[in-house]
mmCIF file of all heavy atoms in Angstrom:
data_model
loop_
_atom_site.group_PDB
_atom_site.id
_atom_site.type_symbol
_atom_site.label_atom_id
_atom_site.label_comp_id
_atom_site.label_asym_id
_atom_site.label_seq_id
_atom_site.Cartn_x
_atom_site.Cartn_y
_atom_site.Cartn_z
ATOM 1 N N LEU T 59 4.784 32.040 18.858
ATOM 2 C CA LEU T 59 5.602 33.100 18.571
ATOM 3 C C LEU T 59 6.917 33.119 19.324
ATOM 4 O O LEU T 59 7.677 34.125 19.425
ATOM 5 C CB LEU T 59 4.855 34.435 18.851
ATOM 6 C CG LEU T 59 5.256 35.569 18.027
ATOM 7 C CD1 LEU T 59 4.796 35.361 16.528
ATOM 8 C CD2 LEU T 59 4.630 36.945 18.510
ATOM 9 N N THR T 60 7.360 31.932 19.846
ATOM 10 C CA THR T 60 8.571 31.794 20.508
ATOM 11 C C THR T 60 9.781 32.309 19.745
ATOM 12 O O THR T 60 10.538 33.171 20.303
ATOM 13 C CB THR T 60 8.882 30.294 20.909
ATOM 14 O OG1 THR T 60 7.733 29.816 21.684
ATOM 15 C CG2 THR T 60 10.214 30.153 21.636
ATOM 16 N N PHE T 61 9.816 31.971 18.499
ATOM 17 C CA PHE T 61 11.105 32.232 17.701
ATOM 18 C C PHE T 61 11.019 33.433 16.838
ATOM 19 O O PHE T 61 12.091 33.967 16.387
ATOM 20 C CB PHE T 61 11.349 30.984 16.861
ATOM 21 C CG PHE T 61 11.387 29.644 17.602
ATOM 22 C CD1 PHE T 61 10.340 28.808 17.568
ATOM 23 C CD2 PHE T 61 12.460 29.423 18.361
ATOM 24 C CE1 PHE T 61 10.334 27.688 18.300
ATOM 25 C CE2 PHE T 61 12.480 28.187 19.189
ATOM 26 C CZ PHE T 61 11.390 27.321 19.115
ATOM 27 N N ALA T 62 9.810 33.967 16.565
ATOM 28 C CA ALA T 62 9.746 35.082 15.641
ATOM 29 C C ALA T 62 10.494 36.360 16.112
ATOM 30 O O ALA T 62 11.204 36.975 15.241
ATOM 31 C CB ALA T 62 8.280 35.405 15.420
ATOM 32 N N PRO T 63 10.516 36.702 17.378
ATOM 33 C CA PRO T 63 11.233 37.896 17.821
ATOM 34 C C PRO T 63 12.777 37.672 17.839
ATOM 35 O O PRO T 63 13.519 38.615 17.947
ATOM 36 C CB PRO T 63 10.746 38.111 19.293
ATOM 37 C CG PRO T 63 9.483 37.377 19.389
ATOM 38 C CD PRO T 63 9.615 36.208 18.465
ATOM 39 N N VAL T 64 13.158 36.423 17.797
ATOM 40 C CA VAL T 64 14.638 36.088 17.809
ATOM 41 C C VAL T 64 14.955 35.177 16.574
ATOM 42 O O VAL T 64 15.688 34.232 16.742
ATOM 43 C CB VAL T 64 15.110 35.405 19.150
ATOM 44 C CG1 VAL T 64 15.012 36.432 20.165
ATOM 45 C CG2 VAL T 64 14.116 34.229 19.508
ATOM 46 N N ALA T 65 14.336 35.419 15.429
ATOM 47 C CA ALA T 65 14.477 34.539 14.258
ATOM 48 C C ALA T 65 15.918 34.367 13.883
ATOM 49 O O ALA T 65 16.271 33.338 13.505
ATOM 50 C CB ALA T 65 13.630 35.082 13.213
ATOM 51 N N ASP T 66 16.694 35.454 13.907
ATOM 52 C CA ASP T 66 18.065 35.335 13.526
ATOM 53 C C ASP T 66 18.886 34.399 14.333
ATOM 54 O O ASP T 66 19.686 33.635 13.896
ATOM 55 C CB ASP T 66 18.703 36.764 13.379
ATOM 56 C CG ASP T 66 18.415 37.648 14.655
ATOM 57 O OD1 ASP T 66 17.711 37.161 15.590
ATOM 58 O OD2 ASP T 66 18.911 38.737 14.638
ATOM 59 N N GLN T 67 18.782 34.655 15.691
ATOM 60 C CA GLN T 67 19.506 33.783 16.614
ATOM 61 C C GLN T 67 19.060 32.304 16.516
ATOM 62 O O GLN T 67 19.866 31.371 16.634
ATOM 63 C CB GLN T 67 19.322 34.303 18.061
ATOM 64 C CG GLN T 67 19.730 35.646 18.354
ATOM 65 C CD GLN T 67 21.285 35.803 18.162
ATOM 66 O OE1 GLN T 67 22.028 34.813 18.128
ATOM 67 N NE2 GLN T 67 21.902 37.048 18.329
ATOM 68 N N THR T 68 17.695 32.068 16.339
ATOM 69 C CA THR T 68 17.300 30.644 16.099
ATOM 70 C C THR T 68 17.921 30.071 14.943
ATOM 71 O O THR T 68 18.397 28.803 14.919
ATOM 72 C CB THR T 68 15.706 30.724 16.046
ATOM 73 O OG1 THR T 68 15.130 31.267 17.147
ATOM 74 C CG2 THR T 68 15.196 29.304 15.893
ATOM 75 N N ALA T 69 17.981 30.802 13.804
ATOM 76 C CA ALA T 69 18.638 30.213 12.575
ATOM 77 C C ALA T 69 20.089 29.911 12.763
ATOM 78 O O ALA T 69 20.504 28.911 12.335
ATOM 79 C CB ALA T 69 18.417 31.286 11.435
ATOM 80 N N LYS T 70 20.739 30.765 13.527
ATOM 81 C CA LYS T 70 22.101 30.612 13.828
ATOM 82 C C LYS T 70 22.302 29.333 14.732
ATOM 83 O O LYS T 70 23.216 28.515 14.392
ATOM 84 C CB LYS T 70 22.796 31.813 14.534
ATOM 85 C CG LYS T 70 24.220 31.730 14.846
ATOM 86 C CD LYS T 70 24.644 33.030 15.521
ATOM 87 C CE LYS T 70 26.210 32.980 15.795
ATOM 88 N NZ LYS T 70 26.620 34.214 16.433
ATOM 89 N N ARG T 71 21.528 29.167 15.782
ATOM 90 C CA ARG T 71 21.704 28.001 16.633
ATOM 91 C C ARG T 71 21.429 26.660 15.867
ATOM 92 O O ARG T 71 22.222 25.728 16.161
ATOM 93 C CB ARG T 71 20.658 28.156 17.765
ATOM 94 C CG ARG T 71 20.336 26.890 18.531
ATOM 95 C CD ARG T 71 21.452 26.671 19.587
ATOM 96 N NE ARG T 71 21.357 25.292 20.114
ATOM 97 C CZ ARG T 71 21.910 24.983 21.278
ATOM 98 N NH1 ARG T 71 22.640 25.731 21.882
ATOM 99 N NH2 ARG T 71 21.802 23.702 21.785
ATOM 100 N N PHE T 72 20.477 26.595 15.101
ATOM 101 C CA PHE T 72 20.077 25.338 14.246
ATOM 102 C C PHE T 72 20.677 25.301 12.919
ATOM 103 O O PHE T 72 20.342 24.373 12.218
ATOM 104 C CB PHE T 72 18.577 25.166 14.222
ATOM 105 C CG PHE T 72 18.012 24.878 15.679
ATOM 106 C CD1 PHE T 72 17.432 25.995 16.422
ATOM 107 C CD2 PHE T 72 18.113 23.712 16.330
ATOM 108 C CE1 PHE T 72 16.963 25.791 17.665
ATOM 109 C CE2 PHE T 72 17.578 23.405 17.534
ATOM 110 C CZ PHE T 72 17.057 24.476 18.263
ATOM 111 N N HIS T 73 21.574 26.171 12.548
ATOM 112 C CA HIS T 73 22.271 26.205 11.320
ATOM 113 C C HIS T 73 21.400 26.014 10.157
ATOM 114 O O HIS T 73 21.482 25.124 9.243
ATOM 115 C CB HIS T 73 23.308 25.055 11.258
ATOM 116 C CG HIS T 73 24.305 25.048 12.454
ATOM 117 N ND1 HIS T 73 25.264 25.994 12.658
ATOM 118 C CD2 HIS T 73 24.222 24.222 13.489
ATOM 119 C CE1 HIS T 73 25.871 25.756 13.733
ATOM 120 N NE2 HIS T 73 25.290 24.647 14.348
ATOM 121 N N THR T 74 20.298 26.889 10.092
ATOM 122 C CA THR T 74 19.297 26.870 9.052
ATOM 123 C C THR T 74 19.081 28.276 8.576
ATOM 124 O O THR T 74 19.729 29.279 8.988
ATOM 125 C CB THR T 74 18.042 26.276 9.570
ATOM 126 O OG1 THR T 74 17.145 25.981 8.510
ATOM 127 C CG2 THR T 74 17.377 27.098 10.652
ATOM 128 N N THR T 75 18.199 28.470 7.705
ATOM 129 C CA THR T 75 17.856 29.787 7.061
ATOM 130 C C THR T 75 16.697 30.370 7.724
ATOM 131 O O THR T 75 15.892 29.824 8.544
ATOM 132 C CB THR T 75 17.504 29.524 5.571
ATOM 133 O OG1 THR T 75 16.260 28.771 5.469
ATOM 134 C CG2 THR T 75 18.554 28.773 4.864
ATOM 135 N N MET T 76 16.547 31.718 7.481
ATOM 136 C CA MET T 76 15.441 32.434 8.067
ATOM 137 C C MET T 76 14.054 31.920 7.559
ATOM 138 O O MET T 76 13.049 31.909 8.150
ATOM 139 C CB MET T 76 15.525 33.965 7.710
ATOM 140 C CG MET T 76 16.666 34.595 8.331
ATOM 141 S SD MET T 76 16.553 34.957 10.109
ATOM 142 C CE MET T 76 15.682 36.510 10.017
ATOM 143 N N ASP T 77 14.028 31.507 6.282
ATOM 144 C CA ASP T 77 12.777 30.899 5.709
ATOM 145 C C ASP T 77 12.353 29.705 6.504
ATOM 146 O O ASP T 77 11.198 29.507 6.679
ATOM 147 C CB ASP T 77 13.034 30.501 4.233
ATOM 148 C CG ASP T 77 13.045 31.761 3.301
ATOM 149 O OD1 ASP T 77 12.577 32.784 3.844
ATOM 150 O OD2 ASP T 77 13.480 31.649 2.231
ATOM 151 N N MET T 78 13.336 28.872 6.944
ATOM 152 C CA MET T 78 12.970 27.730 7.700
ATOM 153 C C MET T 78 12.457 28.100 9.065
ATOM 154 O O MET T 78 11.530 27.526 9.699
ATOM 155 C CB MET T 78 14.201 26.808 7.883
ATOM 156 C CG MET T 78 14.443 25.961 6.535
ATOM 157 S SD MET T 78 13.183 24.974 5.902
ATOM 158 C CE MET T 78 13.014 23.811 7.344
ATOM 159 N N VAL T 79 12.950 29.104 9.675
ATOM 160 C CA VAL T 79 12.504 29.694 10.966
ATOM 161 C C VAL T 79 11.196 30.117 10.813
ATOM 162 O O VAL T 79 10.206 29.994 11.680
ATOM 163 C CB VAL T 79 13.487 30.688 11.513
ATOM 164 C CG1 VAL T 79 13.029 31.342 12.791
ATOM 165 C CG2 VAL T 79 14.848 30.077 11.858
ATOM 166 N N ASN T 80 10.923 30.873 9.612
ATOM 167 C CA ASN T 80 9.522 31.284 9.432
ATOM 168 C C ASN T 80 8.506 30.108 9.462
ATOM 169 O O ASN T 80 7.368 30.375 9.811
ATOM 170 C CB ASN T 80 9.427 32.140 8.161
ATOM 171 C CG ASN T 80 10.095 33.499 8.233
ATOM 172 O OD1 ASN T 80 10.227 34.042 9.303
ATOM 173 N ND2 ASN T 80 10.528 34.091 7.232
ATOM 174 N N TRP T 81 8.949 28.989 9.030
ATOM 175 C CA TRP T 81 8.003 27.770 9.013
ATOM 176 C C TRP T 81 7.585 27.465 10.327
ATOM 177 O O TRP T 81 6.534 26.778 10.543
ATOM 178 C CB TRP T 81 8.671 26.706 8.253
ATOM 179 C CG TRP T 81 8.379 26.640 6.845
ATOM 180 C CD1 TRP T 81 9.132 27.027 5.726
ATOM 181 C CD2 TRP T 81 7.094 26.168 6.202
ATOM 182 N NE1 TRP T 81 8.508 26.911 4.554
ATOM 183 C CE2 TRP T 81 7.224 26.367 4.875
ATOM 184 C CE3 TRP T 81 5.928 25.663 6.761
ATOM 185 C CZ2 TRP T 81 6.218 26.065 4.013
ATOM 186 C CZ3 TRP T 81 4.942 25.319 5.922
ATOM 187 C CH2 TRP T 81 5.087 25.516 4.522
ATOM 188 N N LEU T 82 8.389 27.743 11.412
ATOM 189 C CA LEU T 82 7.867 27.513 12.814
ATOM 190 C C LEU T 82 6.614 28.277 13.102
ATOM 191 O O LEU T 82 5.816 27.927 13.988
ATOM 192 C CB LEU T 82 8.991 27.844 13.733
ATOM 193 C CG LEU T 82 10.240 27.015 13.623
ATOM 194 C CD1 LEU T 82 11.421 27.467 14.549
ATOM 195 C CD2 LEU T 82 9.954 25.517 13.948
ATOM 196 N N SER T 83 6.447 29.295 12.387
ATOM 197 C CA SER T 83 5.190 30.131 12.554
ATOM 198 C C SER T 83 4.136 29.651 11.462
ATOM 199 O O SER T 83 2.941 29.570 11.787
ATOM 200 C CB SER T 83 5.385 31.685 12.443
ATOM 201 O OG SER T 83 6.287 32.059 13.379
ATOM 202 N N ILE T 84 4.598 29.477 10.263
ATOM 203 C CA ILE T 84 3.687 29.173 9.215
ATOM 204 C C ILE T 84 2.927 27.790 9.452
ATOM 205 O O ILE T 84 1.777 27.662 8.967
ATOM 206 C CB ILE T 84 4.472 29.171 7.832
ATOM 207 C CG1 ILE T 84 5.026 30.508 7.553
ATOM 208 C CG2 ILE T 84 3.594 28.674 6.709
ATOM 209 C CD1 ILE T 84 5.901 30.503 6.250
#
Side-chain angles (χ1 to χ4, degrees):
L59 211 65
T60 302
F61 307 104
V64 288
D66 47 359
Q67 299 291 354
T68 303
K70 184 178 179 182
R71 165 77 191 197
F72 292 99
H73 308 289
T74 188
T75 64
M76 294 285 274
D77 284 344
M78 287 301 298
V79 174
N80 286 339
W81 267 101
L82 296 174
S83 298
I84 296 173

